[in-house]
Amino acid sequence: MPSLPYYLPIRVANPFIAIIMEKKVKNIFVQGPIAASFVADSIQKHNTKTNIGAHSIFLGQVRNDVVDGKTVVAIDYTAYEEMALEKMHVIREEIFQKYPLTCMHIHHSLGRIEAGALCLFVFTSSGHRKAAIDACEEVVERIKKELPIWGKELFDNATHQWKENS
């Protein structure tokens, strides 16, 4: 999916003149599970960035919870994508303002994700560990609370229920 355009007014030397700069909203969604090789490649790509002193990574994995005697075999993730991407852009900008990060990468699965597979990958980098860890934790919590993403738990007896984020 291509990035959606986002226009941000920027102040220049003359406070009465504003220019419009195109700022791309990053697509965080991937169809299907997030491959472990993708996570490894993402980490490897940062070894040339010598101003980074710490990374924090969160990997969300589908659990095979037992609910009322039924075992979760998969979660089918859906989202109001346009709204979720716009909100994620706002969260991303706020996190970059709050923490001295070098970079941040976020990927969330859509579609059927089997138990044991990765469904969320949040990767933050900074000069120091505290900023990377705190930013990563806040991003994960805000994704769970603020983005219109829903998970339908699929059970081993062919029934389902909508998952509640906690």
Side-chain angles (χ1 to χ4, degrees):
M1 175 178 191
S3 297
L4 302 171
Y6 177 78
Y7 297 97
L8 177 68
I10 305 292
R11 288 202 180 267
V12 291
N14 183 336
F16 299 104
I17 298 174
I19 60 172
I20 301 297
M21 178 177 133
E22 186 174 335
K23 178 135 184 154
K24 299 289 183 183
V25 172
K26 294 183 183 264
N27 184 11
I28 66 168
F29 294 115
V30 296
Q31 283 297 321
I34 298 165
S37 59
F38 176 78
V39 174
D41 288 344
S42 296
I43 296 166
Q44 183 63 38
K45 288 177 184 175
H46 286 76
N47 71 348
T48 59
K49 299 179 181 182
T50 56
N51 60 331
I52 295 174
H55 303 288
S56 186
I57 295 172
F58 175 84
L59 298 173
Q61 177 174 308
V62 175
R63 291 184 311 274
N64 66 340
D65 286 343
V66 176
V67 180
D68 298 328
K70 302 174 286 187
T71 302
V72 174
V73 295
I75 297 178
D76 188 8
Y77 287 101
T78 57
Y80 182 166
E81 290 185 50
E82 185 178 351
M83 182 185 287
L85 294 175
E86 287 293 330
K87 182 61 180 172
M88 189 65 240
H89 179 76
V90 170
I91 292 169
R92 181 181 178 79
E93 293 298 312
E94 290 173 359
I95 295 294
F96 269 110
Q97 288 176 2
K98 185 173 180 180
Y99 301 99
L101 296 180
T102 307
C103 57
M104 175 182 359
H105 305 281
I106 300 153
H107 303 277
H108 197 297
S109 294
L110 293 178
R112 183 183 171 115
I113 311 302
E114 302 295 324
L118 297 177
C119 56
L120 178 59
F121 172 36
V122 177
F123 181 18
T124 55
S125 303
S126 183
H128 301 279
R129 72 180 176 274
K130 183 157 178 44
I133 292 168
D134 291 349
C136 187
E137 180 178 5
E138 186 171 332
V139 167
V140 171
E141 294 304 319
R142 291 188 69 183
I143 287 170
K144 298 287 262 177
K145 289 179 183 153
E146 299 177 36
L147 295 190
I149 300 171
W150 303 278
K152 182 168 52 173
E153 292 177 310
L154 307 175
F155 296 111
D156 57 354
N157 67 351
T159 62
H160 69 272
Q161 76 175 13
W162 290 99
K163 181 172 178 51
E164 290 185 33
N165 284 335
S166 55

